[in-house]
Amino acid sequence: MNKTGGTFSKDHDRTARLSNVALLYYGEGLTQSEIAKRLQVSRVTVVNLLREARDQGIVEIHVNGEQLKESTLARELASKFDLEDVYVSDVFDTQAVDRAAVLRQLGRVASMAFLDIVEPGDRIGIAWGETIMAMSDALPRVRVEGAEVSQLIGSMISKRVPASENCTIRIASQIGAVCYTLHAPALASTPELAQLFRDEPTIATQLERLQNLDMVAYSIGNLSDETHMAAAGMTTVKELHAAQAKGARGIICCRFIDADGRGISLPPTDRIIASELADLRAAKKRMLVVCGEDRLDAIQAAIMGGLATHLCIDAALGKALLSA
Amino acid sequence: MNKTGGTFSKDHDRTARLSNVALLYYGEGLTQSEIAKRLQVSRVTVVNLLREARDQGIVEIHVNGEQLKESTLARELASKFDLEDVYVSDVFDTQAVDRAAVLRQLGRVASMAFLDIVEPGDRIGIAWGETIMAMSDALPRVRVEGAEVSQLIGSMISKRVPASENCTIRIASQIGAVCYTLHAPALASTPELAQLFRDEPTIATQLERLQNLDMVAYSIGNLSDETHMAAAGMTTVKELHAAQAKGARGIICCRFIDADGRGISLPPTDRIIASELADLRAAKKRMLVVCGEDRLDAIQAAIMGGLATHLCIDAALGKALLSA
DNA sequence: CAAACGAGTTTACAAATGTCAATTTTTAAA
DNA sequence: TTTAAAAATTGACATTTGTAAACTCGTTTG
């Protein structure tokens, strides 16, 4: 019956069928039973087809990012801190029970904001961390012509983020961009070794690339004992306390910043292989994605230092920031 | 309570809330009841919020266009007629009962194909008709940088298409493109008047624009007595029969073509204000969207004449075309 | 050849969803 | 201030959906 035969065309016929089924269900609004009758299969099969279509990204659900920056809270924040745009996520949870859920929702909002902010041809720098991971997880497949995505921070094994390069790689793949990863650890064991890494040609080239970005997307850590950098074993509680004593308020790209958003060079800064704060500031569009009221000090510091033009935050943090 | 007050911010707060609710529902996968509990509203309200979000295009469902051209039928057609890509829509209806439903599904497939084919910066020509209307109705809001959309055919009042400019306008607005409408009727009452119209500076400029397009999207009519051109009162049954006798097989942009896809100048051709066939052929990407087996002759003629590089058709027509 | 496998089926059930009509609350207008 | 219109609520209901378990039927594959 199938002249061309083979699993090749069979697979493709299958996905083409998935697409048409998905359109009938989501577009035409037919019920699963109606579709099952037409396909002459059982309804259970239709359920499975639809799930497959969603899982494979054949159907995707987009939320218009522009709406998210229009709330009163978002606009008040933007005007108070003189930011281009603020996007606020909200899980409407009266007692913010589930941090993971808040993070996921922020990730979704941030991914829509990202698509709202990015422009064709942009050279984009991506940091990594829980928050950026949440964003990249939620990013749908939307082609951005001529985009380039670069990893801002060297790689690291951490329990919270399976593979740090993943953020960069996934975002690049979703928007069809060229992907430049940073082939170095985020932290070297000695300052000298870190410098050797930085001087290594392939790495030096990449670090240079980070000096000419159009857009950066990153998050920020605070100085609590459980901050991501400590959890990943990149710094010690002792160092954190010392940094705090010296006025550090936040951590951006593994670097400490003070209340005015200026970098403070403290151990282990000299062992870090990552974009410099100045590089971030050089980017025209600086997207800061943050979740949790415990980042209040940190985010204020970053804004003071002109490190952000666009903000994506959860409603609780937003309210705290506005009344701060 | 609401310091800034006014309906402005209220509306915006509302849509921002819609967005977050939509993300919780479609993204996080919460049930309506769970969301209702969080928002402290009734579930019915959540149902309404979600519907509103969909209606307003705050949430949109995309289907990946690439899948639709991978079916065996699509690839066999592409290779048989030496086309770049063929997209096949299917409603899986054993006895094609509902033409309107077939048309809607084709419109959805065509809109995904359109997004698949279009590139940033493209100058796009859009015809009008039932089929193109179905496509533009289904087109989601996706920005295409630097695109320009031009109306290929003058305007016309017709029962089947509420307002002919609508196709062009809607497509332009959905992709964020500059929109150039053609401020003339599709049919003038005399050839002389038609020429006067064509020479009118604003119209002449627009017609000139149509000579340099990167992409065109149009459909094709047959020569049946109910063909759209006749239904719209732009030609008479007598003229149609005469055209048929002279070898006409299809109607593209209100112009007759013969079996080899060459234009035939027959009344009322000289009274038409629209893109020339040569203009269509000059576009690098020529997207032909057709629905219904009764267009078999017409579509063959168009393909023969090299008028299409991309095809969007329904499965029934596809099968007929393959075995023709 | 038989075991294992994948895809699909049936049946059954619990949960989620859409919809209606009647009612209350809120909002805007006269 | 009263009133009309709009928006949200409640409760009831039918439909739709998701999921599970056990079963069938070809196709591989060892």
Side-chain angles (χ1 to χ4, degrees):
Chain A
M1 187 156 236
N2 195 337
K3 275 163 281 170
T4 47
T7 43
F8 176 76
S9 62
K10 224 167 103 192
D11 275 5
H12 287 282
D13 279 349
R14 184 178 170 74
T15 45
R17 192 170 71 144
L18 286 188
S19 302
N20 272 297
V21 167
L23 284 174
L24 284 175
Y25 185 72
Y26 291 106
E28 183 80 3
L30 295 186
T31 68
Q32 298 176 351
S33 318
E34 288 174 302
I35 295 175
K37 205 187 302 161
R38 294 195 183 193
L39 288 175
Q40 322 237 43
V41 298
S42 72
R43 188 176 64 77
V44 176
T45 304
V46 176
V47 173
N48 292 329
L49 288 175
L50 287 171
R51 193 213 318 286
E52 200 179 332
R54 283 188 302 263
D55 289 349
Q56 293 194 10
I58 292 172
V59 284
E60 277 177 334
I61 295 172
H62 291 234
V63 171
N64 192 336
E66 288 166 48
Q67 318 293 337
L68 294 161
K69 64 190 185 199
E70 301 293 354
S71 69
T72 306
L73 178 56
R75 279 181 291 117
E76 284 178 353
L77 282 168
S79 88
K80 173 168 179 183
F81 295 106
D82 194 27
L83 298 164
E84 299 228 355
D85 280 312
V86 177
Y87 301 79
V88 180
S89 76
D90 201 336
V91 292
F92 308 107
D93 202 331
T94 32
Q95 60 267 22
V97 187
D98 188 352
R99 182 178 150 77
V102 175
L103 186 61
R104 283 196 300 273
Q105 181 79 344
L106 177 66
R108 281 177 212 113
V109 167
S111 71
M112 302 306 160
F114 178 87
L115 292 174
D116 199 29
I117 297 167
V118 74
E119 292 166 290
D122 273 356
R123 289 156 301 177
I124 306 159
I126 301 290
W128 53 260
E130 281 184 310
T131 319
I132 299 297
M133 193 71 213
M135 176 175 97
S136 63
D137 273 344
L139 194 66
R141 205 178 178 80
V142 172
R143 197 166 178 74
V144 177
E145 216 61 34
E148 282 181 16
V149 177
S150 300
Q151 186 177 342
L152 284 175
I153 314 174
S155 301
M156 189 67 210
I157 309 282
S158 133
K159 259 159 263 163
R160 293 200 202 160
V161 179
S164 47
E165 305 94 326
N166 255 11
C167 300
T168 313
I169 294 173
R170 172 157 171 92
I171 291 173
S173 112
Q174 289 301 84
I175 67 172
V178 185
C179 179
Y180 297 102
T181 46
L182 188 52
H183 304 118
L187 183 79
S189 51
T190 67
E192 294 71 33
L193 201 52
Q195 196 52 51
L196 283 176
F197 272 121
R198 293 193 202 100
D199 293 341
E200 177 66 25
T202 57
I203 297 168
T205 311
Q206 175 62 7
L207 288 175
E208 220 167 288
R209 201 191 308 280
L210 299 183
Q211 293 169 12
N212 287 293
L213 296 172
D214 300 298
M215 173 175 178
V216 290
Y218 65 98
S219 188
I220 192 166
N222 61 17
L223 285 124
S224 74
D225 293 359
E226 305 80 33
T227 196
H228 188 191
M229 234 179 117
M234 294 178 62
T235 187
T236 61
V237 172
K238 197 182 255 179
E239 282 173 337
L240 280 175
H241 289 182
Q244 206 156 13
K246 296 270 189 177
R249 287 293 148 77
I251 303 175
I252 289 179
C253 287
C254 305
R255 299 174 193 286
F256 296 110
I257 60 168
D258 67 16
D260 294 320
R262 283 182 300 243
I264 314 182
S265 196
L266 283 170
T269 304
D270 50 4
R271 295 194 286 132
I272 295 295
I273 296 154
S275 171
E276 307 272 349
L277 290 180
D279 299 341
L280 295 184
R281 253 186 284 258
K284 201 168 72 256
K285 293 175 282 187
R286 308 184 283 284
M287 178 180 178
L288 175 51
V289 188
V290 191
C291 173
E293 288 183 80
D294 56 334
R295 308 297 218 272
L296 183 56
D297 288 349
I299 201 170
Q300 281 182 299
I303 294 172
M304 281 299 111
L307 284 157
T309 57
H310 298 261
L311 214 56
C312 294
I313 52 178
D314 63 285
L317 177 56
K319 279 170 203 151
L321 192 53
L322 191 60
S323 54
Chain B
M1 184 156 238
N2 196 337
K3 276 162 283 174
T4 48
T7 45
F8 175 76
S9 63
K10 221 169 102 191
D11 275 6
H12 287 283
D13 279 350
R14 185 179 167 75
T15 46
R17 192 169 71 142
L18 285 188
S19 304
N20 273 297
V21 167
L23 284 175
L24 284 175
Y25 185 72
Y26 291 106
E28 183 80 2
L30 294 187
T31 66
Q32 298 176 349
S33 319
E34 288 174 301
I35 295 174
K37 206 186 302 162
R38 295 196 182 193
L39 286 175
Q40 322 238 43
V41 299
S42 70
R43 190 175 63 77
V44 177
T45 305
V46 176
V47 173
N48 292 330
L49 287 175
L50 288 171
R51 194 212 317 285
E52 199 180 333
R54 281 188 304 262
D55 289 350
Q56 292 194 12
I58 291 172
V59 284
E60 279 177 335
I61 294 166
H62 291 234
V63 172
N64 192 335
E66 288 167 48
Q67 318 294 338
L68 295 161
K69 63 190 184 199
E70 301 294 352
S71 69
T72 306
L73 178 55
R75 281 181 290 116
E76 285 177 351
L77 282 168
S79 87
K80 174 168 179 182
F81 295 105
D82 195 26
L83 299 164
E84 298 226 358
D85 281 311
V86 177
Y87 301 79
V88 180
S89 77
D90 201 336
V91 291
F92 308 108
D93 202 331
T94 32
Q95 62 267 24
V97 186
D98 187 351
R99 180 177 152 79
V102 174
L103 187 61
R104 284 196 300 275
Q105 181 79 344
L106 177 67
R108 283 179 210 111
V109 167
S111 71
M112 302 306 158
F114 178 86
L115 293 174
D116 198 30
I117 296 168
V118 74
E119 292 165 291
D122 273 356
R123 292 155 299 178
I124 306 160
I126 300 290
W128 53 260
E130 281 184 310
T131 320
I132 299 298
M133 194 71 211
M135 176 175 96
S136 64
D137 274 345
L139 194 66
R141 205 177 178 81
V142 172
R143 199 168 175 73
V144 177
E145 216 60 35
E148 284 180 18
V149 178
S150 300
Q151 187 176 343
L152 285 174
I153 315 174
S155 299
M156 189 68 213
I157 308 281
S158 131
K159 258 159 264 164
R160 294 200 201 162
V161 180
S164 48
E165 304 94 328
N166 255 8
C167 301
T168 313
I169 293 172
R170 174 157 169 91
I171 290 173
S173 114
Q174 291 298 85
I175 67 172
V178 185
C179 181
Y180 296 103
T181 45
L182 188 52
H183 304 118
L187 183 79
S189 50
T190 67
E192 294 71 31
L193 200 52
Q195 195 53 49
L196 281 176
F197 280 134
R198 291 194 204 100
D199 293 339
E200 173 69 23
T202 57
I203 296 167
T205 310
Q206 176 63 6
L207 289 175
E208 219 168 288
R209 202 192 307 280
L210 299 183
Q211 293 169 12
N212 287 292
L213 297 172
D214 300 299
M215 175 175 176
V216 292
Y218 65 98
S219 188
I220 191 166
N222 60 17
L223 286 125
S224 73
D225 293 359
E226 305 81 32
T227 196
H228 189 191
M229 238 181 113
M234 295 179 61
T235 188
T236 61
V237 171
K238 197 183 254 179
E239 282 174 336
L240 279 176
H241 288 182
Q244 205 155 16
K246 295 268 189 179
R249 287 295 147 75
I251 303 175
I252 290 179
C253 287
C254 304
R255 299 175 192 286
F256 296 109
I257 60 167
D258 67 16
D260 294 320
R262 283 181 299 244
I264 314 181
S265 195
L266 285 170
T269 305
D270 51 3
R271 295 193 286 131
I272 295 295
I273 296 156
S275 170
E276 307 272 349
L277 291 179
D279 298 343
L280 296 183
R281 252 186 284 258
K284 200 167 72 256
K285 292 174 281 187
R286 309 184 281 283
M287 180 179 177
L288 174 51
V289 188
V290 190
C291 174
E293 288 183 79
D294 55 335
R295 308 294 218 276
L296 183 57
D297 287 349
I299 200 171
Q300 280 182 301
I303 293 173
M304 280 299 111
L307 284 157
T309 57
H310 298 260
L311 213 58
C312 294
I313 51 178
D314 63 282
L317 178 55
K319 280 171 203 151
L321 192 52
L322 192 59
S323 54

